[in-house]
Amino acid sequence: MRASEAIRERRSIKRFTDRPVSRDEIETLLAAATLAPNHRLTQPWRFYVLGPDARYAYGRALGERKARKIEEPESARAMRETVAQEHRALPCMIAVAVVNNENPEIRDEDYAATMMAVQNIALAAVELGLGTHIKTGGVMSDSAARQAAGVRDDERIVAIVNVGVPADVPPPKKREPATAFTTWVP
């Protein structure tokens, strides 16, 4: 598959089949991730492949955040448990972290490199017949979520990548052409 095809075919997959993602497939995705460009060759990315218990704990942390918005205690409890079980059931979940750097310039470069590594995971997944759903948000700095993922104190989670065989593939979303965002500067 050509890279341009993988870019066009990549979608955010929300539902996966029950087929597990093999260790070889995961290692192929992570090998692709480490080929991302990174200034100064800092290799700032760290990958945490979460097993069922870790996925459950991460889902529990996310469910707790969602449950805070629910006043009725039983509904809040159900929300926590539902989200936790949904995460346990995922075929594969990878927490992608970046090593923190005190230098603001290097910190920005390392964040950019790590997000390019995430894109490499998504594109390599397409080539393998897998799908991904890249998740970001406030939960990634939540102490319970960080603990569930096993990240170290000197790292921050920048994305969660859910991986599996797509149960269905949504159609592409309408996007503006590149010309809408391009300025040619003489």
Side-chain angles (χ1 to χ4, degrees):
M1 172 179 281
R2 295 173 54 94
S4 58
E5 292 174 72
I7 291 168
R8 275 194 303 279
E9 296 298 318
R10 189 213 56 80
R11 301 283 182 278
S12 292
I13 303 300
K14 300 208 171 122
R15 290 186 334 103
F16 301 101
T17 68
D18 292 334
R19 180 179 82 70
V21 179
S22 73
R23 185 179 185 110
D24 283 346
E25 289 170 321
I26 295 167
E27 289 176 350
T28 297
L29 299 178
L30 299 180
T34 63
L35 296 175
N38 62 114
H39 193 238
R40 306 172 206 247
L41 201 58
T42 57
Q43 302 180 94
W45 38 70
R46 300 296 181 266
F47 309 106
Y48 296 87
V49 181
L50 307 186
D53 292 343
R55 292 192 304 265
Y56 179 87
Y58 188 93
R60 184 89 176 166
L62 178 58
E64 180 62 43
R65 293 173 68 88
K66 290 181 176 197
R68 289 181 197 146
K69 301 173 188 170
I70 301 172
E71 290 185 27
E72 203 275 304
E74 180 53 31
S75 296
R77 186 208 60 75
M79 171 62 74
R80 283 189 293 276
E81 187 59 24
T82 297
V83 174
Q85 290 297 344
E86 287 171 351
H87 280 73
R88 182 190 300 268
L90 288 169
C92 177
M93 187 173 162
I94 303 168
V96 181
V98 63
V99 175
N100 292 324
N101 193 299
E102 295 301 317
N103 180 313
E105 181 178 334
I106 295 173
R107 186 172 49 248
D108 287 349
E109 291 168 352
D110 286 352
Y111 174 80
T114 303
M115 292 309 288
M116 286 187 272
V118 169
Q119 178 74 1
N120 280 6
I121 291 170
L123 296 177
V126 172
E127 184 179 25
L128 294 176
L130 299 170
T132 57
H133 194 188
I134 300 166
K135 311 282 279 180
T136 60
V139 67
M140 294 182 301
S141 61
D142 183 284
S143 61
R146 289 177 49 78
Q147 183 176 3
V151 298
R152 297 188 322 224
D153 289 342
D154 67 335
E155 300 168 356
R156 72 179 168 118
I157 302 172
V158 297
I160 297 293
V161 185
N162 299 333
V163 184
V165 175
D168 53 62
V169 178
K173 292 183 179 176
K174 181 166 174 30
R175 296 180 186 251
E176 295 295 322
T179 56
F181 309 106
T182 306
T183 303
W184 295 84
V185 182

